[in-house]
Amino acid sequence: LLPEECLQHAEAVVVGEAEDVWAQVLEDAERRRLEGIYRAEKPVDMATVPFPKRELLNESPWFACIQATRGCPNKCKYCYLPCVPWGTFRTRPLEKVLEEIRGIPQRILFVVDDNLFADREYALALFNELKAMKKTWSVQMPTNVAKDDEMLDAMAASGCFNAQVGFQTVNPASLDWADVRQNKIGKYADVIDRLHKRDILVGGFFIFGFDHDDERIFPETVRIVKEIDLDDAHLYILTPYPGTPMY
């Protein structure tokens, strides 16, 4: 979004997804001829995303990260993803994802996808295959997934123990302004209850600082978080990213 500003603090900056230009960056670094800003011409073909060489890590973490999809079809005004070429939702070939998971020794996985659930059939197929792998895993989840009993059952059966849900705010005016149409504040408790019934812990994301917020947003958020029986809360300050409608 601001590569020239980033370059004040680095010797090289990659704009876009790195896979297609990373080899050139490394080659130039080895020759001590870094060119400053490297731009990926297009989003990466997800079939070509390589597996991380986790064996090169100096330590063995207690969990491993995995990515099955990139991008998100939602158009939330505060999010940078709809404003960049690589924000388009794409899936990795399922067999590639499963092959990578089979090579991960850790039992606990964190799925780092922006919105794994944007392709319902893909997500269900992944969860069905995960069942036999005896992994436990955590994922970010939009609120509207909670209406899908088949999806929630598949998540639980395949080892999901934690869902991090983008509730975003308890202020209906802020939700409306931000175009977060999938969120209904009156349904937050039901979302959590449906996950709890399947032994899935729920973390909630909340943003403070919308133009419709005033000082009442803080005690109201505390009240609702307690009322809906949330297990964990992640609190953020609204950040106007350059290139977004909010900026």
Side-chain angles (χ1 to χ4, degrees):
L1 293 171
L2 290 172
E4 289 80 11
E5 180 181 302
C6 291
L7 198 59
Q8 298 173 30
H9 311 280
E11 292 178 64
V13 175
V14 174
V15 180
E17 294 178 317
E19 283 90 348
D20 289 343
V21 297
W22 189 241
Q24 186 63 53
V25 174
L26 293 180
E27 186 177 311
D28 290 352
E30 190 171 40
R31 296 176 179 176
R32 300 185 183 277
R33 292 195 318 212
L34 284 167
E35 294 183 1
I37 295 176
Y38 295 80
R39 296 182 185 272
E41 294 182 2
K42 61 185 186 306
V44 170
D45 177 355
M46 294 293 279
T48 67
V49 174
F51 300 171
K53 287 186 173 292
R54 294 178 172 86
E55 68 274 11
L56 298 180
L57 294 173
N58 291 327
E59 58 182 30
S60 180
W62 60 274
F63 72 97
C65 293
I66 184 78
Q67 185 180 59
T69 70
R70 289 183 183 173
C72 178
N74 293 333
K75 304 294 182 184
C76 305
K77 282 184 181 175
Y78 51 77
C79 183
Y80 74 93
L81 267 179
C83 310
V84 294
W86 59 92
T88 306
F89 180 78
R90 291 155 289 145
T91 60
R92 285 176 73 193
L94 191 59
E95 61 273 14
K96 290 276 190 181
V97 178
L98 297 171
E99 182 184 350
E100 183 176 343
I101 292 173
R102 290 188 191 101
I104 293 174
Q106 287 87 350
R107 183 166 171 261
I108 299 173
L109 303 177
F110 176 43
V111 182
V112 302
D113 300 31
D114 294 298
N115 188 352
L116 173 63
F117 303 91
D119 184 331
R120 182 178 185 274
E121 298 310 313
Y122 179 92
L124 285 172
L126 174 60
F127 302 157
N128 188 54
E129 293 291 338
L130 270 175
K131 274 191 233 178
M133 297 189 183
K134 306 299 181 187
K135 301 284 189 183
T136 57
W137 54 277
S138 173
V139 69
Q140 298 179 103
M141 188 189 96
T143 56
N144 55 350
V145 175
K147 299 183 293 186
D148 190 336
D149 284 324
E150 183 182 5
M151 184 69 74
L152 295 182
D153 289 342
M155 290 169 63
S158 62
C160 181
F161 73 94
N162 174 241
Q164 294 151 35
V165 181
F167 296 111
Q168 312 306 3
T169 179
V170 300
N171 185 343
S174 296
L175 285 177
D176 184 61
W177 176 86
D179 285 337
V180 187
R181 304 300 178 189
Q182 68 272 18
N183 284 13
K184 308 296 180 189
I185 296 167
K187 298 289 186 181
Y188 285 0
D190 184 59
V191 169
I192 294 168
D193 183 61
R194 292 167 72 82
L195 288 161
H196 279 174
K197 284 178 177 175
R198 293 167 172 86
D199 294 327
I200 297 174
L201 295 166
V202 186
F205 294 106
F206 293 91
I207 303 170
F208 296 120
F210 289 101
D211 284 351
H212 292 89
D213 291 345
D214 57 30
E215 66 274 8
R216 292 172 293 181
I217 192 65
F218 302 110
E220 180 65 3
T221 301
V222 171
R223 183 186 71 80
I224 288 182
V225 162
K226 290 179 176 180
E227 186 178 280
I228 63 180
D229 196 26
L230 194 64
D231 299 299
D232 187 21
H234 306 265
L235 311 177
Y236 298 92
I237 296 171
L238 189 67
T239 302
Y241 291 114
T244 62
M246 189 185 75
Y247 188 85

